[in-house]
Amino acid sequence: MTPPPMPVDTSILPDLKADLAAKPRELFINGEFVPAKSGETFDVIDPATGQVFAQAASGGAEDVDLAVQAARKCFDSGAWSAMPPAQRARIMMKLAELIEANASRIALTETLDNGMPLMMGYFGAVMAASETLRYNAGWCTKIGGETFTPSHPGEWHGFTQREPVGVVGGIVPWNFPFVMGVAKMAQALAAGCTIVLKPAEQTPLSTVILGELIAEAGFPEGTVNIVTGFGATAGAALVEHEQVDKISFTGSTVTGKQIVKACTGNLKRVTLELGGKSPVIIFDDANLAKAIPAAAMGIFGNAGQVCAAGSRLFVHEKVRDQVLEGVTAMAKGLKVGSGLDPASQMGPLVSDAQFARVTGYIESALSEGAKVHVGGEKASVEGSEGGYFIQPTVLTDTVAGMKAVEEEIFGPVLATMTFGDDDLETIAAAANNTQYGLNASVFTQDITRGLKMAKRIKSGMVNINGAGGGPDPAMPLGGFKQSGWGRENGRAGVEAFTEVKSVTVNLG
Ligand code: ADP
Ligand code: MG
């Protein structure tokens, strides 16, 4: 099969790199690009080389305060929140167009910064972001309430209306920097909120481009503000700020818990999209030609740096050898390399810290008695010796209780378990034996069995005969248990940026 033509114009890369090297990226506050008040910047590293290739402003508490004030002023003035919904939708649609018009620059920046293959930068960053903007633009004109007949004495009319929650702090992780920031922003904007976005310190650059496009799209000043910087400084200042009404966070469960504590000061609304340790269950009647690649890419895609990654494989013992052989063949066949190389199917891990974390989990699994079936080592990539590449890895002899089975690794490391009997309760109990509950996949030709499993699995998302596939802006995304609070996407996602007001009218 010939791959589709590369939709990204890579000829702009030398100019893009020169421009990134020439000047630090700035904060976007109240419609203007400004340096951090401290004048400080931080290094931005290309994970495919380990080299610094850009600098970004290191926002601190003072900068966050200015950004929040801008968002507050814009919100309170009604410049965005009281704008006719159809007009808000138009501006959001315009931003979607601008994103697509700048597709090559955004995709290349995402790949340089995060390491993801360029095709993923294009489809997973640019196109997914413009689609989520268009989807959420549609909600501007559709958010509404309900009507009631209160049971009070006399004649009454009651209704609810949904109002924007106010100023939002959006804290974004490094695994899909552009689309995650855009998705949070799009839902907040559809609800009528204003926002301060803080991208992750590992991957600030594509969000800065978003700021440029926002300036062009026609949003009132202060609607969207972007503060690049570290979690412990910029992030902490945002979650503690008294003028922020809601935090929408995506990241690790550990940080999510810290954020909940920090939000108690003014009882901010909080939604959390956190970690996972998602099961992939393959029954002996599954269509293995589909199940095997889906299971493999469900953990190797984006080098496993995906919250919904299927990291625990449960396979029926009758098909265990065949599945293991198939996933192993895919692991060996995957081309690991720089995301800029069009042949690459898996890029590097995002940072040296993430590389140390993933290899640490592999070592701990071995010390607890697991075996490496394939992979397990640093991947050597010619011309990219300083990069954070790791081989796609499959572990066997993994059992419940091992760290690599219990904890989220966030790398291309699959733990494999088998089951022998067909008792769905037993299989579901094993799949549910985790603190997380984000995603799950079930492969079986028996749709009744698939649906029964979907009922028994405690997770916010279940895929039958498919893994991953990427989030759909229309379908709620989020987790049970310690995978989070609330949902993003769909109606639920937009409503999470609103307050409900009950209005009662005495008609007597
Ligand atoms: P990782 O541990 O892989 O860096 P995190 O969940 O800590 O993942 O990071 C996700 C996002 O949360 C990043 O934007 C990061 O800067 C931010 N962050 C980290 N710590 C805090 C904190 N204490 N308060 C607010 N934001 C934080
Ligand atoms: Mg980087």
mmCIF file of all heavy atoms in Angstrom, residues 124-153:
data_model
loop_
_atom_site.group_PDB
_atom_site.id
_atom_site.type_symbol
_atom_site.label_atom_id
_atom_site.label_comp_id
_atom_site.label_asym_id
_atom_site.label_seq_id
_atom_site.Cartn_x
_atom_site.Cartn_y
_atom_site.Cartn_z
ATOM 1 N N GLY A 124 -3.213 14.488 14.084
ATOM 2 C CA GLY A 124 -3.522 14.485 15.522
ATOM 3 C C GLY A 124 -3.453 15.870 16.145
ATOM 4 O O GLY A 124 -4.098 16.113 17.160
ATOM 5 N N ALA A 125 -2.668 16.777 15.551
ATOM 6 C CA ALA A 125 -2.585 18.130 16.120
ATOM 7 C C ALA A 125 -3.455 19.083 15.322
ATOM 8 O O ALA A 125 -4.458 19.596 15.811
ATOM 9 C CB ALA A 125 -1.131 18.616 16.136
ATOM 10 N N VAL A 126 -3.111 19.268 14.061
ATOM 11 C CA VAL A 126 -3.761 20.332 13.293
ATOM 12 C C VAL A 126 -5.217 19.990 12.971
ATOM 13 O O VAL A 126 -6.135 20.746 13.296
ATOM 14 C CB VAL A 126 -2.990 20.582 11.980
ATOM 15 C CG1 VAL A 126 -3.652 21.689 11.200
ATOM 16 C CG2 VAL A 126 -1.545 20.918 12.286
ATOM 17 N N MET A 127 -5.428 18.850 12.319
ATOM 18 C CA MET A 127 -6.777 18.548 11.853
ATOM 19 C C MET A 127 -7.712 18.245 13.027
ATOM 20 O O MET A 127 -8.874 18.654 13.028
ATOM 21 C CB MET A 127 -6.759 17.372 10.861
ATOM 22 C CG MET A 127 -5.920 17.634 9.635
ATOM 23 S SD MET A 127 -6.223 19.257 8.878
ATOM 24 C CE MET A 127 -7.767 18.922 8.038
ATOM 25 N N ALA A 128 -7.199 17.560 14.036
ATOM 26 C CA ALA A 128 -8.045 17.270 15.201
ATOM 27 C C ALA A 128 -8.426 18.572 15.903
ATOM 28 O O ALA A 128 -9.550 18.718 16.405
ATOM 29 C CB ALA A 128 -7.319 16.332 16.159
ATOM 30 N N ALA A 129 -7.512 19.531 15.922
ATOM 31 C CA ALA A 129 -7.800 20.802 16.597
ATOM 32 C C ALA A 129 -8.835 21.609 15.824
ATOM 33 O O ALA A 129 -9.773 22.170 16.410
ATOM 34 C CB ALA A 129 -6.512 21.609 16.758
ATOM 35 N N SER A 130 -8.698 21.660 14.498
ATOM 36 C CA SER A 130 -9.673 22.457 13.741
ATOM 37 C C SER A 130 -11.053 21.798 13.814
ATOM 38 O O SER A 130 -12.066 22.481 13.925
ATOM 39 C CB SER A 130 -9.213 22.675 12.298
ATOM 40 O OG SER A 130 -8.971 21.455 11.657
ATOM 41 N N GLU A 131 -11.084 20.466 13.830
ATOM 42 C CA GLU A 131 -12.380 19.780 13.938
ATOM 43 C C GLU A 131 -13.025 20.023 15.307
ATOM 44 O O GLU A 131 -14.237 20.220 15.404
ATOM 45 C CB GLU A 131 -12.225 18.270 13.696
ATOM 46 C CG GLU A 131 -12.127 17.908 12.231
ATOM 47 C CD GLU A 131 -13.196 18.557 11.365
ATOM 48 O OE1 GLU A 131 -14.387 18.536 11.721
ATOM 49 O OE2 GLU A 131 -12.825 19.121 10.325
ATOM 50 N N THR A 132 -12.227 19.998 16.355
ATOM 51 C CA THR A 132 -12.802 20.195 17.685
ATOM 52 C C THR A 132 -13.303 21.634 17.824
ATOM 53 O O THR A 132 -14.316 21.897 18.482
ATOM 54 C CB THR A 132 -11.823 19.771 18.801
ATOM 55 O OG1 THR A 132 -12.568 19.513 19.982
ATOM 56 C CG2 THR A 132 -10.776 20.793 19.125
ATOM 57 N N LEU A 133 -12.618 22.561 17.164
ATOM 58 C CA LEU A 133 -13.103 23.952 17.184
ATOM 59 C C LEU A 133 -14.450 24.068 16.477
ATOM 60 O O LEU A 133 -15.374 24.709 16.972
ATOM 61 C CB LEU A 133 -12.093 24.856 16.488
ATOM 62 C CG LEU A 133 -11.177 25.613 17.434
ATOM 63 C CD1 LEU A 133 -9.998 26.172 16.678
ATOM 64 C CD2 LEU A 133 -11.918 26.736 18.150
ATOM 65 N N ARG A 134 -14.546 23.424 15.328
ATOM 66 C CA ARG A 134 -15.807 23.518 14.573
ATOM 67 C C ARG A 134 -16.936 22.845 15.347
ATOM 68 O O ARG A 134 -18.045 23.369 15.427
ATOM 69 C CB ARG A 134 -15.655 22.861 13.202
ATOM 70 C CG ARG A 134 -14.727 23.615 12.291
ATOM 71 C CD ARG A 134 -14.939 23.241 10.832
ATOM 72 N NE ARG A 134 -14.055 24.057 10.015
ATOM 73 C CZ ARG A 134 -12.848 23.651 9.606
ATOM 74 N NH1 ARG A 134 -12.396 22.457 9.912
ATOM 75 N NH2 ARG A 134 -12.098 24.458 8.887
ATOM 76 N N TYR A 135 -16.638 21.679 15.907
ATOM 77 C CA TYR A 135 -17.669 20.977 16.683
ATOM 78 C C TYR A 135 -18.161 21.865 17.824
ATOM 79 O O TYR A 135 -19.362 22.054 18.025
ATOM 80 C CB TYR A 135 -17.114 19.648 17.223
ATOM 81 C CG TYR A 135 -18.064 19.010 18.205
ATOM 82 C CD1 TYR A 135 -19.143 18.256 17.753
ATOM 83 C CD2 TYR A 135 -17.931 19.223 19.574
ATOM 84 C CE1 TYR A 135 -20.059 17.722 18.641
ATOM 85 C CE2 TYR A 135 -18.840 18.695 20.466
ATOM 86 C CZ TYR A 135 -19.901 17.941 19.995
ATOM 87 O OH TYR A 135 -20.812 17.430 20.886
ATOM 88 N N ASN A 136 -17.228 22.413 18.573
ATOM 89 C CA ASN A 136 -17.627 23.208 19.746
ATOM 90 C C ASN A 136 -18.222 24.555 19.359
ATOM 91 O O ASN A 136 -19.075 25.074 20.091
ATOM 92 C CB ASN A 136 -16.449 23.368 20.701
ATOM 93 C CG ASN A 136 -16.221 22.095 21.496
ATOM 94 O OD1 ASN A 136 -17.059 21.712 22.309
ATOM 95 N ND2 ASN A 136 -15.125 21.403 21.226
ATOM 96 N N ALA A 137 -17.814 25.099 18.211
ATOM 97 C CA ALA A 137 -18.447 26.339 17.733
ATOM 98 C C ALA A 137 -19.957 26.113 17.596
ATOM 99 O O ALA A 137 -20.765 26.995 17.891
ATOM 100 C CB ALA A 137 -17.837 26.765 16.403
ATOM 101 N N GLY A 138 -20.323 24.919 17.192
ATOM 102 C CA GLY A 138 -21.747 24.599 17.045
ATOM 103 C C GLY A 138 -22.517 24.688 18.358
ATOM 104 O O GLY A 138 -23.709 24.998 18.369
ATOM 105 N N TRP A 139 -21.844 24.438 19.461
ATOM 106 C CA TRP A 139 -22.519 24.491 20.769
ATOM 107 C C TRP A 139 -22.853 25.914 21.199
ATOM 108 O O TRP A 139 -23.730 26.120 22.038
ATOM 109 C CB TRP A 139 -21.660 23.820 21.859
ATOM 110 C CG TRP A 139 -21.864 22.333 21.912
ATOM 111 C CD1 TRP A 139 -20.949 21.372 21.612
ATOM 112 C CD2 TRP A 139 -23.067 21.642 22.265
ATOM 113 N NE1 TRP A 139 -21.507 20.121 21.754
ATOM 114 C CE2 TRP A 139 -22.802 20.263 22.156
ATOM 115 C CE3 TRP A 139 -24.345 22.052 22.650
ATOM 116 C CZ2 TRP A 139 -23.772 19.286 22.428
ATOM 117 C CZ3 TRP A 139 -25.312 21.085 22.922
ATOM 118 C CH2 TRP A 139 -25.020 19.731 22.806
ATOM 119 N N CYS A 140 -22.139 26.907 20.653
ATOM 120 C CA CYS A 140 -22.413 28.292 21.069
ATOM 121 C C CYS A 140 -23.905 28.589 20.970
ATOM 122 O O CYS A 140 -24.484 29.223 21.852
ATOM 123 C CB CYS A 140 -21.651 29.289 20.191
ATOM 124 S SG CYS A 140 -19.873 29.216 20.341
ATOM 125 N N THR A 141 -24.519 28.122 19.894
ATOM 126 C CA THR A 141 -25.929 28.445 19.641
ATOM 127 C C THR A 141 -26.883 27.397 20.204
ATOM 128 O O THR A 141 -28.094 27.490 20.005
ATOM 129 C CB THR A 141 -26.180 28.558 18.120
ATOM 130 O OG1 THR A 141 -25.637 27.386 17.498
ATOM 131 C CG2 THR A 141 -25.525 29.802 17.535
ATOM 132 N N LYS A 142 -26.355 26.411 20.895
ATOM 133 C CA LYS A 142 -27.233 25.302 21.309
ATOM 134 C C LYS A 142 -27.300 25.074 22.812
ATOM 135 O O LYS A 142 -28.058 24.225 23.279
ATOM 136 C CB LYS A 142 -26.789 24.014 20.609
ATOM 137 C CG LYS A 142 -27.065 24.088 19.126
ATOM 138 C CD LYS A 142 -26.335 23.036 18.327
ATOM 139 C CE LYS A 142 -26.374 23.378 16.852
ATOM 140 N NZ LYS A 142 -25.508 24.537 16.483
ATOM 141 N N ILE A 143 -26.508 25.810 23.567
ATOM 142 C CA ILE A 143 -26.544 25.614 25.022
ATOM 143 C C ILE A 143 -27.846 26.210 25.544
ATOM 144 O O ILE A 143 -28.174 27.350 25.236
ATOM 145 C CB ILE A 143 -25.352 26.314 25.699
ATOM 146 C CG1 ILE A 143 -24.051 25.664 25.225
ATOM 147 C CG2 ILE A 143 -25.456 26.245 27.215
ATOM 148 C CD1 ILE A 143 -22.816 26.442 25.595
ATOM 149 N N GLY A 144 -28.592 25.428 26.309
ATOM 150 C CA GLY A 144 -29.878 25.928 26.804
ATOM 151 C C GLY A 144 -30.225 25.307 28.129
ATOM 152 O O GLY A 144 -29.408 24.632 28.753
ATOM 153 N N GLY A 145 -31.455 25.530 28.558
ATOM 154 C CA GLY A 145 -31.906 24.981 29.841
ATOM 155 C C GLY A 145 -33.180 24.182 29.668
ATOM 156 O O GLY A 145 -33.487 23.704 28.584
ATOM 157 N N GLU A 146 -33.906 24.023 30.780
ATOM 158 C CA GLU A 146 -35.145 23.248 30.793
ATOM 159 C C GLU A 146 -36.249 24.119 31.373
ATOM 160 O O GLU A 146 -35.978 25.098 32.069
ATOM 161 C CB GLU A 146 -34.977 22.017 31.692
ATOM 162 C CG GLU A 146 -33.942 21.035 31.204
ATOM 163 C CD GLU A 146 -33.689 19.918 32.218
ATOM 164 O OE1 GLU A 146 -33.093 20.206 33.274
ATOM 165 O OE2 GLU A 146 -34.110 18.786 31.967
ATOM 166 N N THR A 147 -37.490 23.707 31.136
ATOM 167 C CA THR A 147 -38.597 24.416 31.788
ATOM 168 C C THR A 147 -39.299 23.467 32.757
ATOM 169 O O THR A 147 -39.276 22.248 32.571
ATOM 170 C CB THR A 147 -39.625 24.947 30.765
ATOM 171 O OG1 THR A 147 -40.079 23.844 29.979
ATOM 172 C CG2 THR A 147 -39.024 26.004 29.866
ATOM 173 N N PHE A 148 -39.889 24.052 33.790
ATOM 174 C CA PHE A 148 -40.504 23.279 34.870
ATOM 175 C C PHE A 148 -41.815 23.948 35.294
ATOM 176 O O PHE A 148 -42.008 25.137 35.067
ATOM 177 C CB PHE A 148 -39.605 23.253 36.110
ATOM 178 C CG PHE A 148 -38.236 22.700 35.861
ATOM 179 C CD1 PHE A 148 -37.208 23.519 35.400
ATOM 180 C CD2 PHE A 148 -37.963 21.354 36.071
ATOM 181 C CE1 PHE A 148 -35.940 23.015 35.156
ATOM 182 C CE2 PHE A 148 -36.707 20.837 35.833
ATOM 183 C CZ PHE A 148 -35.682 21.667 35.379
ATOM 184 N N THR A 149 -42.664 23.157 35.963
ATOM 185 C CA THR A 149 -43.818 23.725 36.652
ATOM 186 C C THR A 149 -43.607 23.461 38.139
ATOM 187 O O THR A 149 -43.855 22.350 38.612
ATOM 188 C CB THR A 149 -45.126 23.074 36.170
ATOM 189 O OG1 THR A 149 -45.187 23.213 34.749
ATOM 190 C CG2 THR A 149 -46.327 23.746 36.800
ATOM 191 N N PRO A 150 -43.101 24.449 38.887
ATOM 192 C CA PRO A 150 -42.870 24.219 40.318
ATOM 193 C C PRO A 150 -44.180 23.900 41.041
ATOM 194 O O PRO A 150 -45.244 24.422 40.666
ATOM 195 C CB PRO A 150 -42.291 25.550 40.797
ATOM 196 C CG PRO A 150 -41.777 26.232 39.564
ATOM 197 C CD PRO A 150 -42.683 25.800 38.466
ATOM 198 N N SER A 151 -44.101 23.067 42.092
ATOM 199 C CA SER A 151 -45.306 22.646 42.821
ATOM 200 C C SER A 151 -45.642 23.583 43.969
ATOM 201 O O SER A 151 -46.168 23.154 44.992
ATOM 202 C CB SER A 151 -45.109 21.219 43.348
ATOM 203 O OG SER A 151 -44.870 20.342 42.289
ATOM 204 N N HIS A 152 -45.323 24.843 43.840
ATOM 205 C CA HIS A 152 -45.675 25.810 44.885
ATOM 206 C C HIS A 152 -47.168 26.137 44.791
ATOM 207 O O HIS A 152 -47.757 25.984 43.719
ATOM 208 C CB HIS A 152 -44.895 27.129 44.689
ATOM 209 C CG HIS A 152 -43.420 26.959 44.566
ATOM 210 N ND1 HIS A 152 -42.696 26.093 45.344
ATOM 211 C CD2 HIS A 152 -42.531 27.558 43.733
ATOM 212 C CE1 HIS A 152 -41.428 26.170 45.007
ATOM 213 N NE2 HIS A 152 -41.295 27.051 44.022
ATOM 214 N N PRO A 153 -47.756 26.655 45.885
ATOM 215 C CA PRO A 153 -49.134 27.120 45.776
ATOM 216 C C PRO A 153 -49.209 28.268 44.768
ATOM 217 O O PRO A 153 -48.292 29.085 44.687
ATOM 218 C CB PRO A 153 -49.470 27.642 47.192
ATOM 219 C CG PRO A 153 -48.380 27.145 48.082
ATOM 220 C CD PRO A 153 -47.190 26.852 47.236
#
